[in-house]
Amino acid sequence: MDLTTQIKTPKNKPRLIVFDINDTLFTQEFSTKKGFHFVILPNIEKILNHIKNVLKIPIAIASMGHNTNRRKELLKSNNLWQYFDDESLIIIHGGKKTKHFKTLVEN
């Protein structure tokens, strides 16, 4: 079933939709071959595409992480980078979510 058909245009369209990375775009798994690694969640690319290109709502990331470049590369290597209009909408650093959202508001 295509989940994007269930996403309706909201009456009061938000100006921005913000995702975390862990457990919203990716889940972290462990295997003896790869150790800890991220796995993209099902349908995420379709959902992001629908939000950006059909609903016309910008998308952002607010995620706590100490390896910003690795997480950005994770977005790029899984073909998700294209759904973010501007790198300033991708906030990945240590600290509290309130700090992430403050940075997004300032950008």
Side-chain angles (χ1 to χ4, degrees):
M1 174 173 30
D2 185 3
L3 295 176
T4 59
T5 60
Q6 298 176 13
I7 302 173
K8 305 296 181 203
T9 303
K11 289 180 184 176
N12 298 311
K13 191 163 89 169
R15 293 186 304 173
L16 183 70
I17 295 178
V18 183
F19 287 87
D20 193 347
I21 287 181
N22 296 342
D23 298 322
T24 57
L25 299 179
F26 297 91
T27 186
Q28 195 170 24
E29 295 182 356
F30 179 81
S31 71
T32 54
K33 289 184 178 181
K34 296 181 181 179
F36 283 104
H37 60 283
F38 286 99
V39 176
I40 191 170
L41 291 170
N43 297 309
I44 288 300
E45 189 171 357
K46 282 184 179 180
I47 292 167
L48 294 179
N49 181 61
H50 189 79
I51 292 168
K52 180 181 180 191
N53 297 314
V54 176
L55 300 178
K56 305 292 186 197
I57 301 171
I59 304 168
I61 294 285
S63 185
M64 188 178 86
H66 299 289
N67 193 334
T68 303
N69 290 334
R70 180 173 178 242
R71 289 170 187 251
K72 286 181 178 180
E73 191 53 45
L74 184 67
L75 294 168
K76 290 175 184 177
S77 67
N78 284 279
N79 204 33
L80 302 182
W81 189 263
Q82 65 180 318
Y83 299 108
F84 303 93
D85 292 333
D86 188 308
E87 191 167 351
S88 69
L89 295 175
I90 300 173
I91 309 301
I92 304 169
H93 55 69
K96 296 182 179 185
K97 284 285 186 225
T98 53
K99 185 177 178 184
H100 294 120
F101 282 100
K102 184 178 178 184
T103 304
L104 282 171
V105 169
E106 291 169 355
N107 292 344

